[in-house]
Amino acid sequence: MASWRSVSVSISALVVFVVSLAYLLISASSSTSALGGQQDLGPLKHPHRHFQAPAENPWAELDDAEASQLYLWLHENTNLFDSASDTNALNLVELLRPNKSDVADYLDHGGPPPERWARLSNLESKGDEAFVKEYMVGPLPPSNHTQILPLTYCHNSGRNSVRSPISDVFALLDWALGIGENASDITLDLLGAKTNRHDLDDPDGLVIGSRPALIDSGRMVHWLEFFRPGMKSDGRSLLPQGLYVKLDIPTARPETWTTGGWFYNGILYDNDTMLREAMKSPDFERLVVNEDGGWTDTEDPASVAPERDMPPPLSIQPYGPRYHLDRAENYVSWMGFSFYVATSQATAVSLFDIRYNDTRIIYQLGLQEALAHYAGVEPMQSGLEFLDTFFGMGKMMFSLVPGLDCPGHAEYVDMSYHRGGKMYTNKNAICVFEYTSDAPLQRHTSAFSATVSRNTYLVVRSVSTVGNYDYTIDYIFYLDGSIEVKLRASGYIFGAFHAEPRHSAVPPRDSSTNEYGYRIHPGVQTSMHDHVVNFRADFDICGTANTLVRTTVEPLKREYDWDEPEVDGPRNTMHMVHEPITRETGLNWPKNAREMYLVTSPSATNKWGESRAYRILPGTGMGNPAHLTIVNSTTLGNSAAWSSADLWVLRNHPDTEPSSAHENNYLEPLAPLVDFTKMVDSEDIEGEDLVVYFNLGGHHVPTSQDVPNTLMHTSASSVVFMPFNYFDEDVSRAWRQGVRVDRRPPAREGVGSAVEKDEVKIKTKRTADAQGEENNRHRDEDAQSEKDKRHEDEDDGVTWFGGRYTRDVLVSPQMLTPDLSHYMRERDEGEAGGWKTVRNAVGGGLVGLFVGKERAGEEGGRGRGGMDW
């Protein structure tokens, strides 16, 4: 899908997307957003009261007390940053995640808890240049031993800084606004609207989107395009107007910036004067204006389908959760699985120390980067790309909507972070729930019986809204020990302007028609792009001495003695070929799914003598997850080399190579802080600690069905980690719940012994509602025993295994249709404080601001309802 990082500023205050540094200067976020507290679960309101993690969460984000102590220490030690800088602006503060070696000693061997250190991001400028620099501060809490050091050990560039294209975001905003005002005669003639600095609510105003590109170190070029704001909808990315202007930004200082050419209807004009002269010609062709309207609305209130008035089926959890959650430590346990949850401002949710039956399978599983790369025939789309962690996929985890984003019985966890000296909290940013699939886990019908088991699984879900797209990320756990990582996307595509004459009855077709997309409305067509979203899986299969084995299913010709004389010569068949991968490399999903990638522990076998392993395979969704189509992208430089293959296996250096990317790679793609190519250096990987980087996403060629929004089921992709001889048998047998139905005819009286009759019936002891109150539990067990006895007497041949519902249940209206009024309340509270919407995140490394009554960006703002950020 796309990513409309374009911001909207009612042409009222031209909103330009300003260089991503606004991201570094403005703590604009919809932090204390949306949904209020947890849902009222009635008698099960505190189902996890006595559940406790085995250890403190070593990946837990800095709490308010830690951050306050750190800010005070920094205030008292103001000389710690680069004293040669003209300006210093502290932006990001978050936990510097501890080394794997320290954590393993703590969790596995009872060692001391890892020291707590903080990671800082600071904007420093001097003369023509500006830099974003990173530091590490610790140990915490501050003491005489606390120090601040350049953070370099986890950046293979050896640096702690990237060059910032600009030093003054507001200067760029004002400058771009001036461009729109000075060209108001052009925009009124060609687009029928102009920028309006004085009326932020002007529904006819224009906004400006920007595509920046770093040409070389320190030199940036922007292409700006005018858009309609679509004030009554969020469909701004569907409303390009086909008028572009070029900006040249050779240094960080505003006085060096210049305006270049103007582009319209396939013609590049040297400046606005040349365009004005051309417009006077009777041969000048004016293009259709791309108007907003009901076609960008996500709802159709006029539908009269009678079934639409009936509420849909829902999943319920009337006896309370079967998983356990320690909220203090963000620790979850379910059906043999356990893990810690951690968050980051850039990379959203990661899971750590994933275990099954207390044996670690994966040390870390989490997002690294999300790339969207476009192509097109005009200046905006031709080089448009986004690395979304730069905009903060963690701090853009906005509040989930109960009953819609997650089932009504889900539980929610907040996400807190620190920016600009303040702590922000996104309420209910993560949900946890158990769900029942629409298909059984297992079933079999034989001549005399039928057995069917329910398929339930646990989900940890978050949604990151980055501009025009909402990325839903699920970590899913299955009863058999499998783990799935699933990505879904929805939202508005980033439309491209389709040049067609204003009075043309039939849209013209030329050589570019259908080369980059499809026409979906007068003046707009879709824009093809690739989504490549990178994740890290640090495997520990029976320890850290692992090998990746490629098992290939190959055709075979082989002679067998027993085939003669019927088969004359070799038999055409197939076999498996097992090949260890010995060096670091990138891999693609094989044709015909003929290869299996197995992370094995050669020194550990199951009781049958087979190497214990987990298989990596494409999961559910629209085909195999994709890698980037573009080879050696002009725009990306060296910032996202991991996107060139489906998955990578590397020797793990978790303490010095903790990630495949860095959010600030977006600012300096030609010389990134973390260069993935340097991590793939042909090291031997047999019997080593391995890390697998894998990509989700796909090649998105939007069609008319993507209007107004792309649908999640058409944009889903996933990867599954499946036990492969890891267990001695299918462990889901211990957790299954279902029924066995004996389909044999009743025995005739006097035929068959009593023992034979007893063998027909498998008698099981049930416990009903083990998590209910004690007196209810005993009552239900007694009632169930009576039912079991009656069933045995009746000899109906039906045997249930596992818990089942045995009494009437009441489901609260809140679980079926949650009360969402707190969205409105919190929105009103936010705006009562004087805030208009401050939107950050958006457009190609730039930030668009919805300028309010106060100077936008001087302090963090609150998004309306936690959604309109």
Side-chain angles (χ1 to χ4, degrees):
M1 293 181 80
S3 299
W4 171 234
R5 303 0 195 218
S6 153
V7 182
S8 71
V9 156
S10 130
I11 229 300
S12 334
L14 167 175
V15 173
V16 186
F17 295 164
V18 193
V19 181
S20 328
L21 260 188
Y23 161 87
L24 296 161
L25 291 175
I26 304 171
S27 60
S29 63
S30 56
S31 1
T32 52
S33 61
L35 295 176
Q38 301 299 319
Q39 280 185 208
D40 185 1
L41 300 176
L44 298 171
K45 189 172 183 179
H46 304 290
H48 317 293
R49 186 190 302 275
H50 303 297
F51 177 70
Q52 190 171 5
E56 292 184 358
N57 187 342
W59 306 277
E61 187 49 75
L62 303 176
D63 60 27
D64 202 15
E66 286 179 302
S68 297
Q69 293 170 344
L70 174 59
Y71 286 131
L72 180 61
W73 184 83
L74 291 171
H75 180 73
E76 294 172 348
N77 296 271
T78 55
N79 61 337
L80 296 175
F81 296 110
D82 189 347
S83 58
S85 298
D86 296 333
T87 61
N88 284 283
L90 179 63
N91 178 51
L92 176 147
V93 174
E94 69 179 7
L95 177 77
L96 178 62
R97 286 176 173 168
N99 290 340
K100 181 179 180 180
S101 52
D102 295 335
V103 173
D105 181 53
Y106 167 58
L107 294 180
D108 301 342
H109 308 297
E115 290 183 340
R116 302 273 286 173
W117 285 68
R119 167 184 168 236
L120 313 182
S121 179
N122 199 50
L123 175 65
E124 302 174 10
S125 62
K126 183 174 177 62
D128 287 351
E129 296 183 328
F131 294 89
V132 180
K133 295 187 177 181
E134 290 202 340
Y135 298 89
M136 53 188 289
V137 179
L140 301 178
S143 67
N144 293 334
H145 302 290
T146 298
Q147 53 186 326
I148 183 169
L149 302 169
L151 180 57
T152 58
Y153 76 87
C154 52
H155 306 151
N156 59 17
S157 63
R159 310 189 318 270
N160 76 317
S161 65
V162 293
R163 194 184 302 268
S164 170
I166 65 170
S167 59
D168 189 341
V169 170
F170 301 111
L172 183 56
L173 281 170
D174 289 339
W175 185 49
L177 176 59
I179 292 173
E181 291 176 329
N182 293 335
S184 60
D185 59 322
I186 295 176
T187 61
L188 280 170
D189 186 329
L190 299 182
L191 311 180
K194 64 178 182 178
T195 59
N196 187 346
R197 183 191 294 267
H198 306 292
D199 182 6
L200 298 180
D201 297 321
D202 183 351
D204 297 319
L206 296 175
V207 300
I208 293 181
S210 168
R211 175 183 66 81
L214 283 173
I215 304 306
D216 52 34
S217 184
R219 180 168 176 258
M220 173 171 274
V221 167
H222 285 265
W223 275 101
L224 304 182
E225 182 178 10
F226 289 86
F227 288 80
R228 295 265 175 179
M231 294 301 292
K232 293 184 179 180
S233 76
D234 291 321
R236 298 169 185 89
S237 64
L238 288 175
L239 300 168
Q241 301 301 307
L243 178 63
Y244 312 81
V245 58
K246 185 178 182 180
L247 313 180
D248 193 3
I249 303 177
T251 76
R253 290 188 300 110
E255 56 267 30
T256 66
W257 305 342
T258 58
T259 303
W262 289 69
F263 184 84
Y264 183 75
N265 196 16
I267 300 173
L268 180 63
Y269 300 92
D270 290 343
N271 49 53
D272 55 344
T273 301
M274 297 290 289
L275 175 57
R276 286 187 179 92
E277 288 300 314
M279 291 167 61
K280 296 176 183 177
S281 169
D283 297 328
F284 184 84
E285 186 177 58
R286 286 164 174 78
L287 302 177
V288 67
V289 176
N290 181 16
E291 298 280 2
D292 194 10
W295 67 283
T296 65
D297 293 339
T298 57
E299 307 85 24
D300 180 11
S303 173
V304 294
E307 294 81 6
R308 191 180 184 190
D309 291 332
M310 297 178 63
L314 295 175
S315 173
I316 62 173
Q317 178 184 269
Y319 290 177
R322 303 197 303 173
Y323 58 88
H324 302 280
L325 170 63
D326 181 345
R327 292 184 173 277
E329 304 299 337
N330 280 346
Y331 179 79
V332 179
S333 173
W334 175 81
M335 304 297 186
F337 279 110
S338 63
F339 52 88
Y340 290 89
V341 180
T343 59
S344 162
Q345 295 187 42
T347 56
V349 175
S350 293
L351 307 184
F352 285 90
D353 196 36
I354 300 174
R355 299 180 182 232
Y356 191 90
N357 286 346
D358 205 34
T359 298
R360 182 181 299 125
I361 298 170
I362 297 175
Y363 174 79
Q364 179 191 3
L365 181 60
L367 175 71
Q368 301 291 287
E369 185 56 272
L371 165 67
H373 203 314
Y374 292 74
V377 73
E378 36 84 357
M380 175 64 74
Q381 300 290 335
S382 61
L384 191 64
E385 56 84 16
F386 301 107
L387 294 173
D388 282 336
T389 63
F390 174 79
F391 306 102
M393 293 188 71
K395 67 188 185 67
M396 291 184 177
M397 290 164 44
F398 298 120
S399 298
L400 299 167
V401 181
L404 295 159
D405 279 319
C406 311
H409 61 266
E411 293 187 73
Y412 297 86
V413 177
D414 300 341
M415 187 271 184
S416 296
Y417 61 94
H418 308 273
R419 297 187 71 83
K422 295 183 179 180
M423 180 175 175
Y424 297 90
T425 297
N426 290 354
K427 292 287 187 181
N428 299 352
I430 303 167
C431 70
V432 181
F433 60 90
E434 186 178 4
Y435 205 74
T436 300
S437 172
D438 60 346
L441 174 67
Q442 163 276 331
R443 77 162 332 280
H444 181 63
T445 300
S446 67
F448 297 108
S449 67
T451 305
V452 185
S453 304
R454 286 192 177 94
N455 183 16
T456 62
Y457 47 85
L458 184 79
V459 181
V460 177
R461 173 173 295 168
S462 65
V463 177
S464 296
T465 301
V466 188
N468 54 312
Y469 265 113
D470 296 65
Y471 296 96
T472 297
I473 298 175
D474 286 354
Y475 298 99
I476 308 171
F477 297 85
Y478 294 94
L479 294 173
D480 69 329
S482 294
I483 303 169
E484 182 176 14
V485 183
K486 189 159 191 172
L487 173 75
R488 299 178 180 90
S490 186
Y492 290 90
I493 61 172
F494 203 142
F497 186 75
H498 185 270
E500 52 188 271
R502 188 169 296 182
H503 302 294
S504 174
V506 179
R509 302 178 70 83
D510 55 31
S511 60
S512 66
T513 300
N514 293 357
E515 184 180 3
Y516 299 101
Y518 299 95
R519 186 174 183 269
I520 53 174
H521 200 73
V524 63
Q525 68 180 44
T526 65
S527 182
M528 65 180 295
H529 53 281
D530 281 357
H531 285 282
V532 188
V533 181
N534 191 240
F535 288 81
R536 173 186 174 93
D538 180 350
F539 283 96
D540 287 348
I541 304 299
C542 303
T544 57
N546 294 159
T547 296
L548 187 74
V549 174
R550 176 168 31 209
T551 295
T552 307
V553 179
E554 293 187 352
L556 175 69
K557 288 181 178 291
R558 178 167 293 175
E559 294 186 10
Y560 300 97
D561 293 341
W562 44 263
D563 253 340
E564 298 176 352
E566 290 80 10
V567 176
D568 183 17
R571 171 179 290 273
N572 291 323
T573 182
M574 61 183 175
H575 69 158
M576 291 187 295
V577 176
H578 308 280
E579 175 194 11
I581 295 176
T582 60
R583 299 287 177 183
E584 296 179 328
T585 189
L587 301 165
N588 289 327
W589 302 119
K591 184 179 179 180
N592 195 31
R594 58 183 290 178
E595 296 176 358
M596 295 181 284
Y597 300 128
L598 309 175
V599 181
T600 70
S601 178
S603 61
T605 60
N606 63 16
K607 73 177 184 179
W608 315 113
E610 302 293 348
S611 295
R612 298 173 66 184
Y614 259 72
R615 180 183 174 186
I616 307 171
L617 69 161
T620 55
M622 301 298 289
N624 289 350
H627 60 270
L628 186 63
T629 303
I630 300 170
V631 178
N632 298 324
S633 165
T634 303
T635 308
L636 284 176
N638 300 321
S639 63
W642 42 264
S643 63
S644 63
D646 294 332
L647 64 159
W648 301 80
V649 56
L650 306 182
R651 183 172 177 178
N652 196 11
H653 300 282
D655 298 347
T656 57
E657 294 179 348
S659 62
S660 62
H662 191 286
E663 62 267 26
N664 287 338
N665 282 3
Y666 196 49
L667 290 177
E668 199 160 2
L670 305 182
L673 272 182
V674 175
D675 186 342
F676 187 72
T677 61
K678 295 180 180 179
M679 297 170 59
V680 188
D681 51 7
S682 296
E683 285 189 273
D684 178 55
I685 58 172
E686 285 193 271
E688 298 289 349
D689 189 2
L690 299 185
V691 60
V692 173
Y693 291 101
F694 63 95
N695 293 322
L696 300 182
H699 309 300
H700 190 195
V701 181
T703 68
S704 55
Q705 279 68 53
D706 287 87
V707 179
N709 276 183
T710 293
L711 305 180
M712 286 194 179
H713 72 282
T714 64
S715 64
S717 64
S718 78
V719 163
V720 173
F721 307 128
M722 182 182 75
F724 197 90
N725 292 321
Y726 183 85
F727 302 108
D728 297 333
E729 61 182 3
D730 178 6
V731 295
S732 73
R733 292 174 69 240
W735 303 107
R736 288 180 191 168
Q737 293 172 299
V739 66
R740 173 181 289 273
V741 180
D742 187 348
R743 304 174 62 235
R744 283 181 279 194
R748 296 192 306 275
E749 186 175 352
V751 178
S753 67
V755 174
E756 290 172 341
K757 293 178 182 179
D758 288 342
E759 288 176 347
V760 172
K761 297 175 288 185
I762 303 173
K763 300 177 182 180
T764 60
K765 177 68 175 176
R766 300 171 184 58
T767 59
D769 194 14
Q771 297 183 17
E773 297 176 350
E774 191 67 12
N775 57 340
N776 288 337
R777 183 173 66 82
H778 288 307
R779 180 195 64 196
D780 294 337
E781 286 177 353
D782 293 342
Q784 184 60 47
S785 296
E786 287 299 318
K787 285 189 177 183
D788 289 346
K789 188 174 186 305
R790 287 199 303 271
H791 280 231
E792 291 171 12
D793 293 340
E794 295 167 2
D795 191 17
D796 61 2
V798 176
T799 302
W800 294 88
F801 49 91
R804 62 191 178 99
Y805 296 115
T806 59
R807 67 177 189 270
D808 294 340
V809 296
L810 295 177
V811 181
S812 68
Q814 174 73 1
M815 186 177 290
L816 298 177
T817 305
D819 178 9
L820 305 181
S821 61
H822 26 354
Y823 272 114
M824 291 296 295
R825 285 198 298 269
E826 294 208 3
R827 182 195 69 177
D828 294 341
E829 290 169 4
E831 293 188 350
W835 295 112
K836 283 288 184 181
T837 309
V838 179
R839 296 187 83 162
N840 84 332
V842 313
L846 296 186
V847 170
L849 301 178
F850 211 156
V851 181
K853 295 180 181 178
E854 283 86 14
R855 177 69 164 176
E858 291 182 357
E859 198 170 348
R862 299 178 64 163
R864 283 183 272 186
M867 304 297 276
D868 189 12
W869 33 264

